[in-house]
């Protein structure tokens, strides 16, 4: 979808969301955007980047934003969104239809302090970076729940939730790190040349927020990994206890089987002719079982 033109203090803004083949052709014919550029900005596998074309004086910004697969299960990945300054016109590309990007764009548009297209771009990036924070807080809440889970019996659903949490942290931590690296590089590019104090302050605000978000995800990743390691250790210990119990039980059951096996043979055996021989064999079995358990206890095998 290509939305109607808007203006940002005299600069045209063309907003696109999930454009199709016909709309791509419109961008090529009507606005003169190269096909390669359109393929680049609509590629969902692209990573964070900034490109300046010295011949066309074009500037392209690509950043990663959180994309919810299932908010209730805290399943997130990241998808790129792009901003292109082409022939004095700002184009934005939100090919995945990310709600956080739409919110960031219109928040910057409605901000009375945004008085230039450069400020609009930086304010949009700032809001996108901030959009990671509520997800981090939701992860913290879920992590606290999983931490309490260590004191009770673990369910398969809890293990699935932990796996989803680790996947989400992997995607978001990587995106936050690459975004921050690009934000640190941005002031040294053509976009940062001749920046006034207001623009420098915006650069610093975005970088500081990016560093804060990065620290939040680093901490969450470390804590969730520790919970995972603890769960694995508990599972191994429980398995060892189960195997030890089964081993002792099998040894206990082997004793009466051996004794009764001897007296089941069709040959004369000592005490076989007694009236209560079966009680004697039972007593021998019990005595041997008790003796074996005492030896295992003494040898600390139980």
């Amino acid at each position: 979808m290509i939305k109607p033109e808007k203006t940002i203090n005299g600069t045209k803004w063309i907003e696109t969301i999930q454009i199709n083949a016909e709309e791509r052709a419109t961008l090529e014919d009507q606005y003169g955007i190269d096909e390669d550029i359109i393929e680049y900005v609509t590629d969902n596998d692209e990573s964070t980047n900034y490109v300046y074309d010295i011949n066309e004086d074009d500037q392209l910004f690509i950043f990663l934003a959180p994309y919810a697969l299932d908010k209730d299960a805290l399943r997130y990945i990241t998808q790129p969104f792009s901003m292109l300054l082409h022939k004095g016109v700002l184009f934005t590309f939100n090919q995945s239809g990310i709600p956080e990007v739409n919110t960031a764009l219109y928040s910057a548009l409605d901000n009375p302090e945004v008085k230039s297209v450069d400020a609009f771009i930086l304010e949009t990036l700032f809001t996108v970076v901030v959009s990671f924070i509520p997800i981090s807080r939701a992860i913290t809440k879920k992590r606290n729940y999983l931490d309490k889970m260590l004191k009770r019996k673990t369910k398969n659903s809890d293990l699935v939730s932990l796996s989803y949490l680790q996947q989400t942290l992997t995607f978001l931590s990587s995106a936050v790190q690459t975004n921050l690296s690009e934000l640190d590089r941005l002031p040294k590019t053509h976009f940062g040349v001749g920046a006034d104090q207001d623009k420098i302050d915006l650069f610093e605000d975005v970088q500081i927020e990016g560093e804060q978000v990065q620290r939040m995800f680093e901490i969450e990743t470390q804590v969730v990994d520790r919970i995972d390691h603890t769960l694995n250790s508990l599972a191994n210990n429980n398995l060892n206890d189960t195997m030890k119990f089964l081993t002792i039980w099998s040894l206990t059951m082997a004793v009466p089987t051996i004794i009764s096996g001897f007296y089941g043979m069709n040959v004369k055996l000592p005490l076989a002719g007694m009236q209560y021989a079966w009680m004697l064999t039972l007593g021998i079995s019990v005595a041997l079982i008790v003796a074996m358990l005492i030896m295992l206890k003494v040898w600390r095998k139980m």
Side-chain angles (χ1 to χ4, degrees):
M1 179 194 337
I2 300 178
K3 292 194 172 184
E5 292 184 3
K6 305 175 187 65
T7 57
I8 306 167
N9 293 311
T11 300
K12 288 183 179 180
W13 172 30
I14 309 297
E15 180 187 8
T16 74
I17 302 175
Q18 297 177 323
I19 57 175
N20 55 33
E22 183 179 348
E23 291 164 340
R24 294 185 185 204
T26 300
L27 292 174
E28 294 178 34
D29 299 336
Q30 186 172 342
Y31 297 101
I33 302 177
D34 291 341
E35 181 182 357
D36 292 342
I37 296 297
I38 295 177
E39 289 292 334
Y40 189 40
V41 297
T42 57
D43 186 355
N44 287 334
D45 295 324
E46 285 298 332
S47 185
T48 305
N49 199 6
Y50 168 80
V51 179
Y52 172 62
D53 187 343
I54 192 172
N55 296 320
E56 298 289 338
D57 196 28
D58 289 349
Q59 298 183 75
L60 174 62
F61 307 79
I62 301 178
F63 281 82
L64 296 173
Y67 181 80
L69 298 176
D70 185 346
K71 283 189 177 182
D72 294 334
L74 277 180
R75 296 193 67 188
Y76 283 85
I77 58 174
T78 56
Q79 291 290 305
F81 72 98
S82 309
M83 294 179 284
L84 173 66
L85 278 171
H86 174 70
K87 296 181 179 180
V89 180
L90 175 65
F91 297 85
T92 59
F93 299 88
N94 185 7
Q95 193 62 16
S96 298
I98 307 170
E100 287 79 4
V101 173
N102 295 331
T103 300
L105 290 170
Y106 283 94
S107 175
L109 183 66
D110 296 336
N111 191 338
E113 297 182 0
V114 173
K115 299 178 180 179
S116 67
V117 67
D118 289 356
F120 177 86
I121 292 171
L122 289 173
E123 189 67 29
T124 298
L125 295 180
F126 179 86
T127 308
V128 169
V129 169
V130 170
S131 70
F132 284 87
I133 295 178
I135 303 173
S136 177
R137 289 173 179 165
I139 290 174
T140 300
K141 184 177 179 180
K142 187 69 173 180
R143 182 255 298 166
N144 289 334
Y145 165 77
L146 293 173
D147 192 32
K148 295 177 183 178
M149 177 190 69
L150 297 176
K151 298 180 181 179
R152 58 181 175 80
K153 186 176 180 181
T154 305
K155 300 178 182 178
N156 288 338
S157 59
D158 295 330
L159 296 177
V160 172
S161 296
L162 180 62
S163 176
Y164 287 160
L165 210 58
Q166 288 178 311
Q167 293 174 30
T168 293
L169 283 169
T170 299
F171 283 113
L172 298 188
S173 297
S174 176
V176 167
Q177 185 175 357
T178 55
N179 281 351
L180 181 58
S181 298
E182 196 61 33
L183 290 172
D184 291 338
R185 188 178 76 92
L186 209 53
K188 305 179 184 67
T189 64
H190 178 80
F191 184 67
V193 173
D196 57 18
Q197 189 58 47
D198 290 340
K199 190 173 181 179
I200 292 173
D201 291 341
L202 283 173
F203 275 128
E204 291 178 352
D205 290 343
V206 177
Q207 290 168 344
I208 290 171
E209 203 67 25
E211 290 171 357
Q212 177 186 346
V213 173
Q214 183 187 37
R215 286 194 296 271
M216 293 173 69
F217 277 100
E218 283 178 351
I219 292 171
E220 289 304 322
T221 300
Q222 292 173 7
V223 175
V224 170
D225 285 344
R226 287 183 179 276
I227 292 175
D228 180 56
H229 293 158
T230 303
L231 280 176
N232 287 333
S233 297
L234 289 174
N236 289 334
N237 287 338
N238 291 337
L239 178 61
N240 290 338
D241 290 342
T242 301
M243 294 304 298
K244 182 168 66 174
F245 171 79
L246 292 176
T247 301
I248 293 173
W249 184 255
S250 62
L251 290 174
T252 302
M253 292 296 99
V255 173
T257 302
I258 294 173
I259 301 300
S260 60
F262 276 115
Y263 282 90
M265 294 186 295
N266 294 322
V267 294
K268 288 186 177 182
L269 293 172
L271 309 177
M274 294 180 58
Q275 182 178 0
Y276 299 105
W278 68 274
M279 295 184 62
L280 180 62
T281 57
L282 182 61
I284 294 173
S285 297
V286 171
L288 290 176
I289 290 172
V290 171
M292 182 187 66
L293 294 177
I294 292 174
M295 287 188 294
L296 289 175
K297 187 70 174 179
V298 171
W299 293 342
R300 297 182 180 181
K301 298 298 183 181
M302 292 178 59

